Amino acid sequence: MKETTREEALPLQRPSTEAGEVALSFLLRGGVFAAAILLGFAWAGSLMAGKPLQVPTSFAQLGSGEMDLWDHLGAAGALTLGATPIVRVAFTIPLFARAGERLQVWVALGVLLLLGVGAFFA
Amino acid sequence: MTFALLTAGGAGALLVLLGLATGCLGALVGIGGGVIIVPILSLGFGVPMSSAVATSLVCVIASSSGAASAYLRDHLVDLRLGMQLELFTVAGAVAGAFFAPLLPAAFLQVLFGAMSLPVVHGLLWRPAPELPGPGTVRHLPFGYAASFGAGALSGTLGIGGGPIKVPVMTLVMGVPFKVAAATSNLMIGVTAAASVFIYWSRGLLDLGLAAPIVLGALVGSALGARLLPRVSSRVLRWMLALVLLYLGVQMIVRGLA
């Protein structure tokens, strides 16, 4: 099989996106840090309150009054954590677009599209 | 919900430690840690399997995103390769979700277990590049196919893509081990995020259980990301080989049972 050099197809690093990779790093760190704070407060609060954390499974449940502050904080933390890698994929689109790498833009769009398809049919 | 108050006191500390250990190991060898968390939660804490899987997915997102942030900053991630393999992994996961009921799970478990043995041998004895730098990425189509397979099998076998993709990147595609582990960390968070919302919508996510593990995993992944440059690739390959051996045996036992 013909070998594809990294320079030709998939360079390990390209100066055109190095700054963007650092920005993606900040995005991921910010997401997990925010999620950790929310989940930490929620966990500590639920232990002090002596009741288990509830996780809403519908939007109706959010406003039903069944959930207390700690449940809301926990749900916000889990949502932030789950959304972080997906937002990271979305942020690679302008990163690659600015670098003029159309193939990678389509790849990122494809990942988001497939995630949407998976979520729709799940 | 039933198990949430278990997390008070000593059990909570144990869960934080569990997250810390798996987060550190995951950051070092590019796996999510579900292969360790799920059996410990289900066998050690008596948590139902579906809740244990949902909890491990949240932990995988935390540890992989935490580690990937450090690796992106250090330019250790092959972002382009990661994105391309991620596309095939997610495609495989979507296809697997549709066809999972048709797949012979027990046969696939035994097959995966049997195939892990030559991979363990390759990790231990086959020479591989140590450092990232100018080189080649070989056999891209094989990498795409393996990523698709890893995604498709993730639901059936209950594993993330890491234990399949890291050996493929290292042994077949010629990617240095540390780059493979860093790139895998970037990818597995997306696959886990896609699944965790499904478990959440079905009411299987227990945040009282997940929160302490996530907190431990975040610290563990930061520790692992700091350790990675200091540990030789040979040691890391041994660590992954041991995890794969454990996983392979677990799969064979589960498949035959």
Side-chain angles (χ1 to χ4, degrees):
Chain A
M1 191 179 287
K2 180 186 177 293
E3 290 188 352
T4 307
T5 67
R6 186 168 267 151
E7 286 72 20
E8 283 172 353
L10 296 162
L12 181 67
Q13 292 175 34
R14 277 189 194 163
S16 59
T17 55
E18 276 190 1
E21 287 176 25
V22 174
L24 288 180
S25 161
F26 278 116
L27 174 81
L28 284 176
R29 195 178 309 170
V32 294
F33 191 66
I37 289 175
L38 289 166
L39 284 171
F41 274 114
W43 182 47
S46 73
L47 289 181
M48 284 189 295
K51 65 175 277 297
L53 278 175
Q54 284 193 68
V55 187
T57 51
S58 67
F59 286 109
Q61 214 178 333
L62 277 174
S64 64
E66 295 170 27
M67 297 171 58
D68 62 14
L69 172 68
W70 312 119
D71 298 330
H72 284 291
L73 282 180
L79 188 64
T80 306
L81 190 62
T84 296
I86 297 171
V87 172
R88 193 270 300 160
V89 174
F91 268 65
T92 56
I93 295 171
L95 172 69
F96 286 124
R98 283 179 64 182
E101 296 181 43
R102 289 172 65 182
L103 172 66
Q104 292 295 143
V105 171
W106 285 111
V107 166
L109 282 169
V111 172
L112 285 179
L113 179 71
L114 285 170
L115 286 173
V117 169
F120 182 78
F121 287 106
Chain B
M1 221 78 86
T2 317
F3 300 91
L5 286 178
L6 260 182
T7 57
L14 279 178
L15 292 173
V16 171
L17 281 178
L18 173 65
L20 198 141
T22 51
C24 185
L25 181 68
L28 285 171
V29 299
I31 62 166
V35 293
I36 297 162
I37 293 176
V38 173
I40 289 181
L41 285 183
S42 58
L43 298 177
F45 287 82
V47 176
M49 185 61 89
S50 51
S51 263
V53 171
T55 303
S56 84
L57 286 170
V58 179
C59 177
V60 168
I61 299 170
S63 65
S64 66
S65 298
S69 74
Y71 297 146
L72 274 168
R73 182 198 58 211
D74 298 340
H75 304 295
L76 202 56
V77 172
D78 194 328
L79 185 61
R80 290 158 186 84
L81 178 63
M83 291 295 294
Q84 294 196 14
L85 296 185
E86 197 169 87
L87 178 68
F88 285 89
T89 309
V90 177
V94 172
F98 284 113
F99 297 110
L102 306 174
L103 296 174
F107 171 74
L108 289 172
Q109 284 168 341
V110 174
L111 184 69
F112 178 90
M115 282 176 67
S116 67
L117 297 177
V119 174
V120 166
H121 180 268
L123 281 169
L124 294 182
W125 308 117
R126 195 185 293 178
E130 172 83 14
L131 295 169
T136 57
V137 173
R138 301 190 301 263
H139 309 314
L140 267 174
F142 186 88
Y144 295 152
S147 297
F148 185 88
L153 293 180
S154 61
T156 310
L157 299 183
I159 58 167
I164 296 175
K165 282 185 284 190
V166 175
V168 166
M169 278 192 276
T170 306
L171 298 176
V172 181
M173 301 176 75
V175 178
F177 187 91
K178 291 181 182 179
V179 178
T183 307
S184 173
N185 265 297
L186 183 83
M187 287 188 275
I188 52 184
V190 177
T191 322
S195 305
V196 81
F197 288 116
I198 297 169
Y199 280 90
W200 186 341
S201 66
R202 292 176 185 167
L204 296 169
L205 183 60
D206 185 342
L207 276 185
L209 192 64
I213 304 181
V214 164
L215 295 176
L218 286 172
V219 177
S221 65
L223 189 67
R226 276 178 180 265
L227 281 175
L228 186 85
R230 296 175 176 84
V231 182
S232 81
S233 292
R234 182 160 178 74
V235 172
L236 295 172
R237 285 158 63 105
W238 267 87
M239 289 167 71
L240 181 61
L242 288 175
V243 172
L244 269 179
L245 192 63
Y246 160 75
L247 181 61
V249 171
Q250 197 185 52
M251 285 291 165
I252 290 173
V253 170
R254 211 189 294 172
L256 293 177

